[in-house]
Amino acid sequence: MTQQVISRFAPSPTGFLHIGGARTGLFSWLYAKSFGGKCLLRLEDTDEKRSKQEFANSILKSFQWLEVVFDGEPFYQSKNKASHLEKVDFLLTSNRAYYCDCSSERLEHLRKEQQKLKLKPKYDGKCRELNLKSGGGSVIRFKNPESGSVIFEDIIRGKIEVANEELDDLILVRSDGSPTYNLSVVVDDMDMGITHVIRGDDHINNTPRQINIFEALKADVPNFGHLPMILGEDSKRMSKRQGAKSVLEYKDLGVLPEAFLNCLVRLGWSLGDQELFNLDELQEKFREGKMNTAPASFSMDKLLWFNKKYISSLDNRSLISKLSDYSNHFKEDPKSIVVINLIKDRCSLMSDFKKESAYFFEDLDKIDSKLSSKVFNKQALQILKRLMEELEKVNEWTTEKIHSSIENVMSINKVDMGSVGKPFRLSITGQMNSPSIDKTAVVLGKKKVIERMNQVIKEFS
Ligand code: GLU
């Protein structure tokens, strides 16, 4: 390829950025980067009612978090209106567009008639050759070719051919003078010098229409690639409306950007059997991989799997620095490091570290009454008391010594490990799950362990 690749990501800032949009943005960006090109960001903010700066900020912040940096400043579609209208003038003077004053009643009637005859609803071209002049209430329509077909080579799906007969004389400018989506997109892509359009397949029907407009404007037609849809856990198209999380909500939950990116890129792209990719590697190798045509399925479990992998690959120092966004427990001190080493395997999200480590750093909350009434029965409290006495005698506070105290109590009372371990764990951690109990007790320290056991014995006996 001799020409520089310039792609774009063109979201409408009418909602927070979700997985689908993030995947489109990432693929457009990676595609360009893997060819040494540029990817520009265009905010399609022409829907005045629904577009909000808050949503534009969410898009910008999400990609900042992912360290995906678009080239140049964001392009705001609403600021390019003059150019949209200028290009329409060109289409009018070159006889590729026309004024149409058909009333909405006529169009409605036409649609119903076509429906009755089982025809695809389409403007019938009444005003196409009337040479009408601009007048209050009229719209400007595109003169779509009447014969032949539009053929393009989709980067992902291969050859696509659509007969012109299937396409409408679509409206370019509404009666209030505002340019429509298909016009604005084509003009912006021209003005921004876009060579590659990578977008969701919900736009695939717009592409032949847009190609005809590019051609009528005597512009170079970009290459197109349409990404398959993403299915949610329920195997239905993932949509914002179904309560899917925004990208920044995943950040707040404790997903690492590296894991999120890795999960996104696997939604419709593969390179052999490799699962883990970092951003540098992706920029280099994206073009060697395969973009799939089949729908991709998002799974939270898979995202957590990636996240756990990335968490375990971090050294303690980087982990502690990243954890500062989620918890104030961890500092660069020996206790934090011991706790982290103990709980790291149990954490799939950065926010899990706070939950998993709370009993090491904070006083215990009141133990859940359902748990305490189940676990702290008479026999368990006797066992606990016995264990406490054993532990009080331990001088060298090590896992081995704690473990042998537990074993002593097991053999004296002729009970199994669970009968000692369960009340012990619940009394010193306030929960039923924790890392191995002897290691947990070592990190808590003798004083705290005895204090907490004592407290339980007093409270529940
Ligand atoms: N603004 C459109 C959207 O958010 C995308 C337009 C395009 O990529 O051509 O769906």
Side-chain angles (χ1 to χ4, degrees), residues 385-400:
K385 191 150 184 263
R386 193 65 238 252
L387 179 63
M388 189 176 76
E389 285 158 10
E390 287 285 323
L391 291 175
E392 273 174 330
K393 286 189 269 173
V394 172
N395 289 325
E396 222 187 308
W397 193 248
T398 61
T399 47
E400 292 76 19

Side-chain angles (χ1 to χ4, degrees), residues 255-317:
V255 173
L256 291 172
E258 297 84 348
F260 195 75
L261 269 175
N262 208 142
C263 186
L264 273 189
V265 83
R266 298 290 287 107
L267 292 173
W269 178 87
S270 58
L271 183 65
D273 294 335
Q274 194 174 335
E275 283 282 10
L276 299 174
F277 298 91
N278 66 39
L279 200 52
D280 288 341
E281 191 182 9
L282 283 171
Q283 290 187 62
E284 225 177 86
K285 294 195 178 160
F286 192 73
R287 60 195 281 188
E288 292 167 33
K290 186 174 169 317
M291 284 197 262
N292 301 332
T293 49
S297 295
F298 170 77
S299 136
M300 188 64 195
D301 285 348
K302 195 71 200 271
L303 177 59
L304 292 179
W305 180 84
F306 279 118
N307 211 41
K308 204 163 178 196
K309 286 257 175 228
Y310 281 95
I311 288 177
S312 59
S313 72
L314 290 173
D315 59 41
N316 286 335
R317 178 177 270 230

Side-chain angles (χ1 to χ4, degrees), residues 150 152 154 160 162 167 181-182 186 197 199-200 203-214 221-226:
V150 184
F152 66 99
D154 190 285
I160 294 181
V162 179
L167 307 174
Y181 159 75
N182 279 300
V186 169
V197 173
R199 60 184 173 192
H203 286 291
I204 202 156
N205 291 335
N206 291 321
T207 301
R209 298 178 165 87
Q210 292 176 9
I211 289 176
N212 280 336
I213 303 177
F214 274 109
V221 179
N223 299 286
F224 290 90
H226 294 92

Side-chain angles (χ1 to χ4, degrees), residues 8 10-12 42 44 181 185 189 197-199 202-203 210:
R8 49 62 160 190
S12 308
R42 176 168 79 231
E44 302 207 323
Y181 159 75
V185 163
D189 284 339
V197 173
I198 314 271
R199 60 184 173 192
D202 47 335
H203 286 291
Q210 292 176 9

Side-chain angles (χ1 to χ4, degrees), residues 28 57 102 128 138 164 204 259 287 302 333 405 424 432 437:
S28 305
N57 292 344
C102 289
R128 191 171 159 116
S138 47
N164 275 316
I204 202 156
R287 60 195 281 188
K302 195 71 200 271
D333 60 9
S405 304
F424 185 34
M432 298 293 278
I437 197 61

Side-chain angles (χ1 to χ4, degrees), residues 65 245-260 300 303-304 306-308 310-311 314 319 322-323 325-327 347-355:
W65 175 58
K245 287 188 185 38
S246 72
V247 172
L248 294 174
E249 281 177 284
Y250 287 100
K251 169 179 185 269
D252 295 343
L253 253 182
V255 173
L256 291 172
E258 297 84 348
F260 195 75
M300 188 64 195
L303 177 59
L304 292 179
F306 279 118
N307 211 41
K308 204 163 178 196
Y310 281 95
I311 288 177
L314 290 173
L319 187 54
K322 290 181 196 289
L323 278 171
D325 286 345
Y326 300 93
S327 157
C347 299
S348 300
L349 289 167
M350 296 296 274
S351 50
D352 291 343
F353 282 85
K354 187 177 164 82
K355 277 182 260 153

